C-alpha cells in the first residue's frame, strides 16, 4: 500500500508558476505509475499527466502540454508537477495518484489508479 501527500498549492496570478510535490510512503513507490489529476468545482476529475515507474515515459493532457512537466525521484519517493504559464482555467484541486505497476506507458483513467492523496488547491487569478 502507498500513502500519498501533496503540497505546494496556492494562489498565483495568470502566467505564473507553481511546483506541486507528492510525497509517498509505504512500499515499492518506484514500482508504480504516478499520475496527476485535477478537479474543478462542478466538474469531473480529469487527468493532467503521468509518469511511468521508471521515469522514462511521460504523458500529458492536451490542455497542459508544453506548460506542465512531471518528474519523479524514486530514491526520495517523490513526484513533482512543475506548472508554468498558468491560466485561470487551471484552477482546481490537484491530486497525485499511484497506478499500475511496471507499465511502459502512462494510463489516463481515474479507475486505473488505486491510491490517492488528499489534494492541494491551486487557484490562478486573472
Amino acid at each position: 500500500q502507498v500513502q500519498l501527500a501533496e503540497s505546494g498549492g496556492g494562489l498565483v496570478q495568470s502566467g505564473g508558476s507553481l511546483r506541486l510535490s507528492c510525497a509517498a510512503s509505504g512500499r515499492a513507490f518506484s514500482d508504480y505509475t504516478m499520475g496527476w489529476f485535477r478537479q474543478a468545482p462542478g466538474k469531473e476529475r480529469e487527468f493532467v499527466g503521468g509518469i511511468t515507474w521508471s521515469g522514462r515515459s511521460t504523458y500529458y493532457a492536451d490542455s497542459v502540454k508544453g506548460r506542465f512537466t512531471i518528474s519523479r525521484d524514486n530514491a526520495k519517493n517523490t513526484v513533482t508537477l512543475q506548472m508554468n504559464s498558468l491560466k485561470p482555467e487551471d484552477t482546481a484541486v490537484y491530486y497525485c495518484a499511484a497506478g499500475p505497476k511496471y507499465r511502459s506507458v502512462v494510463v489516463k483513467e481515474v479507475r486505473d489508479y488505486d491510491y490517492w492523496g488528499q489534494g492541494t488547491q491551486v487557484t490562478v487569478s486573472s
Side-chain angles (χ1 to χ4, degrees):
Q1 195 165 359
V2 178
Q3 293 81 42
L4 303 171
E6 304 92 341
S7 61
L11 174 64
V12 64
Q13 288 188 333
S14 181
S17 298
L18 277 176
R19 184 178 179 89
L20 304 184
S21 294
C22 176
S25 59
R27 301 184 64 178
F29 165 80
S30 61
D31 296 348
Y32 292 90
T33 298
M34 295 301 297
W36 284 96
F37 293 77
R38 66 187 182 187
Q39 189 166 18
K43 294 188 176 181
E44 293 187 352
R45 192 168 297 189
E46 65 173 3
F47 175 80
V48 172
I51 187 167
T52 54
W53 65 279
S54 64
R56 292 194 183 100
S57 180
T58 55
Y59 187 85
Y60 301 93
D62 287 343
S63 58
V64 307
K65 200 172 294 183
R67 300 188 297 123
F68 290 12
T69 303
I70 295 173
S71 59
R72 68 188 296 162
D73 186 336
N74 286 340
K76 295 183 179 179
N77 281 11
T78 58
V79 60
T80 60
L81 177 66
Q82 178 66 44
M83 304 186 294
N84 298 328
S85 302
L86 283 161
K87 305 175 182 179
E89 51 262 45
D90 294 318
T91 295
V93 177
Y94 283 70
Y95 299 88
C96 70
K101 293 184 178 182
Y102 305 129
R103 294 284 184 90
S104 59
V105 295
V106 174
V107 293
K108 304 183 293 290
E109 301 296 328
V110 170
R111 64 176 178 265
D112 292 323
Y113 288 79
D114 298 314
Y115 305 105
W116 294 81
Q118 81 287 351
T120 186
Q121 177 70 46
V122 171
T123 303
V124 184
S125 63
S126 57

